[in-house]
């Protein structure tokens, strides 16, 4: 069985990392380079950097920060936020990223997903989907949750799968930062639509939530508040999941 | 809660894993300790000591609280190797009277130079509150300063060799004895399991604000020195317990006999199971252990009896009543609330949010641990009275 992964998420805003609730109300959680050093020491399975200002305010100093981050990160790390073109991806990979997360462009110009997958390989493309629950259905949002689309969630997942995304990152805006657990129905919806690995994000507040995510079919569980606002770290999470019967990385 | 069949540590204990027989990985790791070639390890230590002896103003630095482990470290290095150490203490602000006396007596009897550093209390209070709100652990300043400050002294005095005491393999599974490695106290270990995952750079940005700015320099004592600085002095920072089998019960007997080291009451723990002085140096220990109990359903008595069981000094049956009877509210909690400036219900709200499944704390419990003898002697600040204000800014946490 494939090893299940716990992926800390770092939201970049300017020179710092932050964490908010429902894509707003951000609190400082540290320095990106030092945070990477800490997760590296704790042998995190992977890291996920999302530049939350990139789509809204344009390219930031992301690549510069990333090259300093990549000196610290011995685990694979993915980067997202404002990626529009193959050239963007090339520069992020040159700065040390192993994978990229494409969210807004995956809706507005989905051919970018195919181009990047063809050029750099599917394993390096994570298609991101930000979701809000509205009147009993799931609406797909872009531009850091500011713009609503008319897409059907499962149709969008299938489309991203066909275009060559290696993994799907599904993130609940409603649950983000609330620490009350993942939106498991949303997750099940995505898992049903693809055979690609699904990473669930948004809402994990304790280790039981991680377990629930994996039981509901996620291949990896992403979390931020769990590690920022609680007595938790990746080794503890792995020990918990191992006791719950999941194969996890041995350190 | 599921517990180790041998030592009773529960599934909420950090990094614990159980094998098919229901025995935990920490029990397994200490079994392995018995088959390590300690003779070969001792030869490594001999070589290490000779490599550094006489090369600078001091042969080594010994970070020292005056507690049982650091006292034994110092005693062992000075008696066994006749080293000339620089003894360094980071004073976290919670030193108890007995530990001060123990430290003074030890230093006088052994004859060593001693440096003590006490950081800015106002900053300490701010980081206590921040760390408590984020991690329900108010000791970020201890966890960090104890490990960073002696390294800064090492750089300033150009003394490359540092000896720490108890190896982590004794108490958790971040490191174990199974991989036969020497445990280095390096930056990786510091970030992995010492500093709550929050570096000084992180913490500064977390509490610095335009309304209430914090001088970056106030964080220097908590900053891990740059690797290039450490390499310049060719630092070597190791746990003595990687080279000699660490048996704290025996170690305590030695320092009691040779240095007159005295045990003390430990809040919330029956004296008869703590005859060897675990954790008696910090007067906030009872409050720390209580928070752990509220989150994870076990605390110090379980950890101490687990030790005794693993080392064959207690049977699992003898340990069980202590395990079942802990978790009483410590009187030191009132002192802590004074420092944090919060009411108990605010405190409970924060702790409750980080409860570790499947433990579920009974907030209706009212039993109190006995007050330890020296509580009246501790520095105190007034706590807000309950109900006065429930809508403080700092409650905008989790
Ligand atoms: Zn055990
Ligand atoms: Zn402390």
């Amino acid at each position: 069985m494939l090893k299940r992964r716990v992926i800390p998420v770092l939201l970049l805003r300017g020179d710092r990392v932050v964490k908010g609730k429902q894509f707003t109300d951000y609190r400082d959680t540290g320095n990106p380079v030092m945070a990477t050093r800490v997760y590296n020491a704790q042998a995190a399975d992977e890291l996920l950097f999302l530049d939350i200002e990139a789509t809204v305010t344009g390219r930031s100093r992301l690549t510069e920060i990333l090259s300093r981050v990549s000196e610290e990160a011995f685990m694979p790390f993915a980067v997202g936020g404002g990626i529009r073109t193959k050239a963007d991806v090339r520069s992020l990979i040159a700065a040390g990223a192993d994978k990229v997360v494409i969210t807004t462009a995956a809706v507005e110009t989905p051919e970018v997903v195919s181009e990047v997958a063809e050029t750099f390989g599917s394993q390096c493309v994570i298609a991101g989907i930000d979701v809000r629950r509205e009147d009993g259905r799931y609406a797909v949002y872009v531009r850091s949750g500011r713009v609503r689309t008319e897409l059907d969630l499962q149709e969008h997942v299938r489309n991203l799968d066909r275009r060559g995304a290696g993994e799907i990152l599904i993130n609940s805006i409603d649950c983000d930062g609330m620490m009350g657990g993942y939106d498991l129905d949303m997750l099940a919806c995505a898992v049903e639509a693809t055979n690609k690995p699904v990473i669930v994000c948004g809402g994990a507040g304790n280790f039981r939530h991680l377990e629930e995510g994996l039981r509901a079919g996620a291949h990896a569980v992403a979390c931020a508040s769990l590690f920022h606002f609680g007595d938790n770290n990746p080794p503890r999470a792995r020990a918990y999941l191992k006791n719950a019967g999941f194969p996890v990385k041995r350190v | 809660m599921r517990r180790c069949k041998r030592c009773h540590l529960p599934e909420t204990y950090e990094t614990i894993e159980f094998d098919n027989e229901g025995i935990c990985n920490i029990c397994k790791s200490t079994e392995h300790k018995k088959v390590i070639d300690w003779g070969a390890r001792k030869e490594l230590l001999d070589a290490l000591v000779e490599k550094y002896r006489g090369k600078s103003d001091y042969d080594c630095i010994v970070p020292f609280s005056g507690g049982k482990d650091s006292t034994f470290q110092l005693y062992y290095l000075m008696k066994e190797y006749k080293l000339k150490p620089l003894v360094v203490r980071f004073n976290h602000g919670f030193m108890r009277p007995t530990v001060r006396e123990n430290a003074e007596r030890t230093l006088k009897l052994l004859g060593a130079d001693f440096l003590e550093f006490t950081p800015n209390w106002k900053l300490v209070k701010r980081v206590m509150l921040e760390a408590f709100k984020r991690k329900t652990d108010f000791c970020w300043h201890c966890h960090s300063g104890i490990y960073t400050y002696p390294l800064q002294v090492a750089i300033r005095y150009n003394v490359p060799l540092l000896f720490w005491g108890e190896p982590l393999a004794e108490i958790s599974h971040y490191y174990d004895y199974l991989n036969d490695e020497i445990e280095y106290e390096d930056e990786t270990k510091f970030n992995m399991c010492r500093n709550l995952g929050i570096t000084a750079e992180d913490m500064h940005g977390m509490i610095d604000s335009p309304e209430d700015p914090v001088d970056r320099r106030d964080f220097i004592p908590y900053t891990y020195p740059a690797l290039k600085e450490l390499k310049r002095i060719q630092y070597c920072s190791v746990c003595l317990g990687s080279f000699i089998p660490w048996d704290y019960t025996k170690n305590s007997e030695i320092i009691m006999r040779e240095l007159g080291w005295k045990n003390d009451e430990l809040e919330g723990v029956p004296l008869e199971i703590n005859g060897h002085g675990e954790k008696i140096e910090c007067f906030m220990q009872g409050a720390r252990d209580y928070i752990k109990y509220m989150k994870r359903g076990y605390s110090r008595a379980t950890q101490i009896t687990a030790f005794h069981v693993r080392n064959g000094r207690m049977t699992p049956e003898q340990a069980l009543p202590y395990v079942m009877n802990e978790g009483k509210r410590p009187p030191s909690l009132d002192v802590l609330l004074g420092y944090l400036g919060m009411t108990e219900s605010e405190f409970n709200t924060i702790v409750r949010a980080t409860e570790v499944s499947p433990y579920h704390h009974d907030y209706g419990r009212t039993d109190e641990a006995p007050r330890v003898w020296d509580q009246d002697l501790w520095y105190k600040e007034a706590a807000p009275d309950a109900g006065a204000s429930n809508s403080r800014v700092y409650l905008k946490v989790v």
Side-chain angles (χ1 to χ4, degrees):
Chain A
M1 203 158 129
L2 265 176
K3 297 250 189 288
R4 301 307 178 95
R5 293 162 289 154
V6 179
I7 306 178
V9 182
L10 293 161
L11 301 182
L12 284 166
R13 191 170 65 173
D15 289 337
R16 299 287 291 183
V17 285
V18 295
K19 180 60 202 158
K21 287 178 182 173
Q22 301 179 325
F23 284 26
T24 175
D25 200 10
Y26 290 105
R27 255 172 101 190
D28 188 291
T29 56
N31 166 302
V33 176
M34 297 312 284
T36 307
R37 194 176 287 182
V38 167
Y39 283 129
N40 193 61
Q42 295 174 340
D45 298 316
E46 271 180 51
L47 285 186
L48 185 51
F49 280 90
L50 298 177
D51 185 351
I52 58 169
E53 289 188 334
T55 307
V56 182
T57 59
R59 294 312 280 180
S60 69
R61 304 202 304 106
L62 184 59
T63 45
E64 190 196 323
I65 292 175
L66 281 190
S67 18
R68 284 192 291 139
V69 158
S70 69
E71 286 169 23
E72 305 285 344
F74 291 93
M75 75 295 264
F77 75 97
V79 182
I83 296 172
R84 306 234 134 244
T85 64
K86 207 165 80 177
D88 290 339
V89 174
R90 182 168 282 123
S91 78
L92 294 174
I93 288 177
D98 300 285
K99 305 178 185 182
V100 291
V101 183
I102 304 179
T103 305
T104 299
V107 170
E108 295 178 354
T109 50
E111 60 279 5
V112 173
V113 173
S114 326
E115 281 172 32
V116 172
E118 273 157 32
T119 313
F120 302 99
S122 277
Q123 83 290 335
C124 120
V125 188
I126 302 175
I129 309 178
D130 293 335
V131 174
R132 253 187 239 274
R133 189 197 281 263
E134 287 170 357
D135 306 325
R137 65 179 286 274
Y138 292 107
V140 174
Y141 274 75
V142 293
R143 298 191 175 253
S144 300
R146 285 172 179 79
V147 179
R148 188 180 189 283
T149 72
E150 291 305 320
L151 294 171
D152 172 74
L153 174 59
Q154 288 198 319
E155 194 43 51
H156 187 43
V157 171
R158 277 192 286 271
N159 188 30
L160 295 170
D161 178 334
R162 267 195 304 274
R163 289 196 177 268
E167 292 171 274
I168 307 288
L169 168 71
I170 184 146
N171 189 7
S172 161
I173 301 173
D174 308 301
C175 299
D176 174 63
M178 305 310 284
M179 301 180 78
Y182 293 115
D183 185 334
L184 298 174
D185 294 333
M186 171 197 80
L187 169 62
C189 217
V191 168
E192 199 182 84
T194 179
N195 291 320
K196 300 279 174 66
V198 174
I199 306 167
V200 65
C201 188
N206 60 46
F207 295 158
R208 189 189 288 190
H209 296 149
L210 303 182
E211 182 184 351
E212 289 167 356
L214 295 179
R215 293 216 189 282
H219 278 244
V221 281
C223 45
S225 300
L226 175 72
F227 294 138
H228 293 310
F229 309 125
D231 181 17
N232 308 308
N233 62 30
R236 292 181 185 180
R238 275 197 302 273
Y240 177 91
L241 293 175
K242 181 157 187 288
N243 289 330
F246 292 102
V248 291
K249 180 171 79 170
R250 291 302 297 168
V251 186
Chain B
M1 283 198 296
R2 184 175 178 197
R3 291 177 180 276
C4 171
K5 292 236 159 59
R6 188 175 300 161
C7 71
H8 303 310
L9 285 183
E11 60 186 298
T12 52
Y13 190 86
E14 56 176 295
T15 70
I16 201 168
E17 291 171 16
F18 300 101
D19 71 5
N20 295 332
E21 274 84 60
I23 306 297
C24 79
N25 49 354
I26 300 139
C27 281
K28 289 282 174 195
S29 168
T30 30
E31 260 171 34
H32 187 82
K33 184 176 154 189
K34 294 171 194 144
V35 300
I36 286 177
D37 182 352
W38 289 108
R41 292 283 181 98
K42 177 74 166 66
E43 281 168 28
L44 273 177
L45 179 59
D46 296 345
L48 191 67
V49 163
E50 293 319 317
K51 182 178 165 195
Y52 290 98
R53 189 194 293 280
K55 300 278 162 64
S56 38
D57 291 357
Y58 296 92
D59 295 325
C60 65
I61 282 176
V62 179
F64 174 85
S65 65
K68 63 175 175 35
D69 291 306
S70 57
T71 302
F72 179 78
Q73 255 156 269
L74 184 62
Y75 171 80
Y76 182 86
L77 292 166
M78 293 188 75
K79 287 291 166 181
E80 177 74 11
Y81 289 107
K82 311 271 178 289
L83 287 181
K84 176 182 169 56
L86 175 58
V87 181
V88 179
R89 173 151 82 182
F90 178 88
N91 185 335
H92 43 55
F94 314 133
M95 293 285 172
R96 294 178 66 187
T98 302
V99 88
R100 288 178 190 282
E101 279 168 32
N102 279 338
E104 187 180 354
R105 190 181 329 99
T106 296
L107 291 162
K108 286 189 164 140
L109 287 175
L110 291 174
D113 289 357
F114 177 54
L115 268 185
E116 178 163 61
F117 175 79
T118 308
N120 172 349
W121 175 247
K122 286 197 165 164
L123 183 81
V124 165
K125 282 207 304 174
R126 284 183 74 174
V127 299
M128 276 174 75
L129 181 60
E130 194 65 28
F132 177 68
K133 287 189 311 188
R134 287 178 191 251
K135 296 279 182 181
T136 52
D137 187 333
F138 57 86
C139 272
W140 181 85
H141 73 290
C142 317
H143 301 318
S144 297
I146 285 170
Y147 292 98
T148 50
Y149 193 72
L151 280 169
Q152 297 183 1
V153 172
I155 289 170
R156 264 170 223 159
Y157 281 80
N158 213 9
V159 179
L161 183 60
L162 289 94
F163 277 108
W164 309 83
E166 183 181 51
L168 258 185
E170 284 288 306
I171 52 172
S172 79
H173 209 258
Y174 288 107
Y175 283 82
D176 62 26
Y177 286 113
L178 303 175
N179 59 16
D180 275 333
E181 277 176 13
I182 303 301
E183 229 176 275
Y184 290 93
E185 279 293 343
D186 56 10
E187 189 175 5
T188 298
K189 184 170 168 187
F190 178 72
N191 285 328
M192 183 199 306
C193 49
R194 297 293 190 203
N195 66 359
L196 307 177
I198 300 174
T199 66
E201 290 82 352
D202 297 326
M203 184 59 93
H204 177 249
M206 288 174 188
I207 65 169
D208 186 34
S209 70
E211 310 78 60
D212 206 354
V214 181
D215 192 326
R216 174 68 191 90
R217 293 172 301 177
D218 280 348
F219 277 94
I220 292 173
Y222 307 98
T223 303
Y224 210 92
L227 190 59
K228 76 171 195 294
E229 288 287 289
L230 292 167
K231 281 188 168 157
R232 182 179 55 77
I233 64 164
Q234 296 185 301
Y235 88 123
C236 179
S237 171
V238 288
C239 293
L240 192 54
S242 291
F243 301 97
I244 57 173
W246 203 256
D247 180 343
Y248 90 75
T249 322
K250 252 188 220 147
N251 296 351
S252 293
E253 282 161 14
I254 293 169
I255 57 175
M256 284 170 173
R257 189 175 64 233
E258 302 297 327
L259 301 168
W261 191 86
K262 287 199 181 73
N263 191 14
D264 205 344
E265 297 169 340
L266 174 57
E267 202 178 18
V269 175
L271 194 57
E272 73 265 21
I273 58 169
N274 197 32
H276 299 88
E278 172 80 345
K279 299 285 174 194
I280 58 163
E281 52 275 4
C282 169
F283 64 66
M284 282 289 110
Q285 190 62 43
R288 287 185 58 72
D289 288 336
Y290 181 58
I291 294 172
K292 187 187 288 176
Y293 190 88
M294 295 165 85
K295 287 189 293 190
R296 298 175 179 272
Y298 74 90
S299 94
R300 192 55 54 184
T302 296
Q303 285 178 277
I304 290 175
T305 54
F307 255 120
H308 291 331
V309 170
R310 268 182 229 125
N311 292 306
R313 294 194 176 89
M314 252 182 154
T315 64
E317 296 70 35
Q318 287 170 323
L320 198 60
Y322 296 102
V323 170
M324 291 298 141
N325 200 30
E326 62 176 351
K328 298 183 177 74
R329 182 191 184 282
S332 64
L333 183 61
D334 297 318
V335 181
L336 175 65
L337 292 173
Y339 299 159
L340 295 176
M342 63 172 68
T343 65
E344 189 159 353
S345 81
E346 291 169 331
F347 173 89
N348 287 347
T349 303
I350 292 170
V351 177
R352 197 195 297 259
T354 60
E355 193 166 86
V356 178
S357 155
Y359 178 67
H360 202 58
H361 188 68
D362 171 12
Y363 281 84
R365 242 181 108 164
T366 54
D367 43 349
E368 284 244 348
R371 210 177 153 90
V372 290
W373 72 274
D374 53 334
Q375 180 158 337
D376 289 342
L377 304 174
W378 309 340
Y379 171 76
K380 294 185 195 64
E381 295 188 11
D385 36 322
S389 145
N390 284 318
S391 55
R392 263 161 238 274
V393 193
Y394 48 70
L395 259 191
K396 278 178 65 186
V397 283
V398 260

